[in-house]
Amino acid sequence: MPLSEHEQRMLEQMERALYAEDPKFATALEGSGLRTYTRRRVYQAVAGFLVGIALLMAGMVAQQIWISVVGFLVMLGCAVLAVTGWRKAPKPGEQHAGAGSGGGAAGPARRQARQRRSMMNRIEDRWQRRRDEQQGH
């Protein structure tokens, strides 16, 4: 549920006050957001993937198929976690959905829809120019 305009203004005022009072603390809090969480999740998934490889190899050495299957499933699950975590991670300069963004999760979707629309407009313009050129010759 997105914040109302009044709540967003209050939150922004609180953020500015925090930066003014204790910029060091505010900067430390900034680093513990979504980006840090997703990075940690990706690192955990990579470690789990390596454990899965170890299980797969141990199952092959011990000639126990079920251990190899468990290792493969662990690898698969960790790969999915790593990929989804990496895709959800905001870019370094990007602000995550929350403080000051206003649009919530709809912001990136709206931007992507706008990019698609502009791409479709460009394609339609090119198509129209080609049709006009063919009719003119």
Side-chain angles (χ1 to χ4, degrees):
M1 178 176 195
L3 298 175
S4 70
E5 289 183 33
H6 176 69
E7 292 170 330
Q8 288 177 4
R9 279 189 300 238
M10 293 296 290
L11 185 60
E12 288 172 3
Q13 287 175 355
M14 290 167 47
E15 285 178 7
R16 283 193 295 266
L18 178 62
Y19 275 105
E21 285 179 24
D22 195 356
K24 228 179 194 179
F25 179 67
T27 305
L29 284 180
E30 201 174 72
S32 64
L34 180 65
R35 202 164 127 221
T36 304
Y37 169 75
T38 52
R39 186 181 306 140
R40 187 179 315 128
R41 183 176 164 191
V42 168
Y43 289 151
Q44 289 171 347
V46 168
F49 189 83
L50 294 175
V51 168
I53 289 175
L55 283 172
L56 184 73
M57 293 298 177
M60 291 174 69
V61 168
Q63 294 183 350
Q64 296 291 322
I65 294 176
W66 67 273
I67 295 175
S68 296
V69 170
V70 168
F72 176 75
L73 292 176
V74 168
M75 288 170 53
L76 184 64
C78 288
V80 168
L81 281 176
V83 169
T84 58
W86 195 261
R87 285 184 181 168
K88 289 180 184 177
K91 305 296 181 261
E94 190 176 289
Q95 194 176 23
H96 63 278
S101 68
R110 226 182 287 130
R111 188 178 325 118
Q112 191 174 12
R114 193 179 322 126
Q115 287 175 347
R116 275 196 202 127
R117 237 179 303 149
S118 67
M119 184 181 75
M120 288 303 293
N121 287 341
R122 287 194 312 256
I123 291 172
E124 288 174 6
D125 290 342
R126 288 179 190 164
W127 180 260
Q128 188 64 36
R129 269 188 266 133
R130 286 181 186 151
R131 257 182 56 206
D132 291 343
E133 286 174 3
Q134 286 178 351
Q135 290 176 354
H137 286 299

